Each structure stands twice: as C-alpha cells, then as structure tokens.
Amino acid sequence: MTTRYAIDAGTALRIIRSNSDADRRHHLVAPALLRSDVLSALYRDVRAGRISEVDGKRQLERLTELKLRLLGDRMSRAASWRIAMRLGWDDTATAEYLADESLACSDGETVHECDVP
C-alpha cells in the first residue's frame, strides 16, 4: 500500500523554505494548479516586501526541483467539478485539491493531508 501526502501551496512553500527533504521521504501529490498558486503567493510576498525578488525566484526554482506528482487529468477535472457542484462552491480551485485526494483514496491508497510531512 502506498502512502501519499496531498499538499497545497502553503505546504509546498513550507517545504521549500525549510529546505525539507519531505519530497524525498514521502510521495507528494497535488493538482497542477499548485504551480500557479505557489507562483501567485511568491509574487504577492515580493510585492509586499516580505521577500526579495531574487529570493522569490529562487523559491520558484526550488518548486521545479521538488519531487512532486502534479495531477490534472480528465478524471481529476471531472472530480473537481462534481465536488464543487455537490458543495455549492463558486469555483473549483479548492475542489481540485480535494479531488486528487479523493481519486487516490478510491484507488485503495492511503492519502494524508498535512501541514508539513
């Protein structure tokens, strides 16, 4: 049985910023949307003066180095749509994260959602 950790942008940033080896110790999954979410968060941090532009770009580069499975196939998109509709949400962004977890669980895998693996 495989154990996967479904992560969001905040968790990815904590892994990046702490130089954690969580991506080498665990199987990490996230929707393809994660890349855009991390990009936006880093850009906001630079604009707000919380980090330098150089550091923001360095962290963005570190994201590309993470061992991370990004999901965004037809089944993930359909599951996101169903979840958002079922819960009456206005958009599917959060549902994409839940869909990945839901699909992995339906494959008989154990998925953990956590802050920092």
Side-chain angles (χ1 to χ4, degrees):
M1 179 179 289
T2 303
T3 301
R4 293 183 180 192
Y5 288 91
I7 67 168
D8 62 7
T11 302
L13 283 168
R14 283 190 291 279
I15 291 169
I16 290 166
R17 289 174 174 163
S18 69
N19 291 315
S20 171
D21 66 346
D23 60 318
R24 291 180 294 285
R25 292 182 290 115
H26 303 290
H27 189 102
L28 305 179
V29 297
L33 174 67
L34 177 103
R35 290 180 296 213
S36 294
D37 287 346
V38 169
L39 175 66
S40 292
L42 288 170
Y43 181 76
R44 284 191 306 271
D45 284 350
V46 168
R47 294 280 295 168
R50 289 186 287 269
I51 61 174
S52 70
E53 184 176 356
V54 170
D55 195 38
K57 288 179 178 181
R58 183 192 59 75
Q59 290 179 43
L60 190 58
E61 182 62 28
R62 173 73 173 106
L63 175 66
T64 66
E65 298 167 357
L66 280 183
K67 185 177 177 187
L68 174 66
R69 181 171 176 212
L70 296 173
L71 305 171
D73 61 10
R74 183 178 297 170
M75 287 185 64
S76 294
R77 290 189 304 271
S80 299
W81 185 281
R82 282 193 308 276
I83 290 168
M85 289 293 288
R86 186 176 332 124
L87 297 175
W89 291 347
D90 291 332
D91 70 39
T92 60
T94 302
E96 287 189 52
Y97 288 95
L98 295 175
D100 292 341
E101 183 176 339
S102 171
L103 290 171
C105 288
S106 69
D107 287 340
E109 298 179 19
T110 302
V111 176
H112 298 279
E113 187 174 1
C114 62
D115 286 337
V116 178

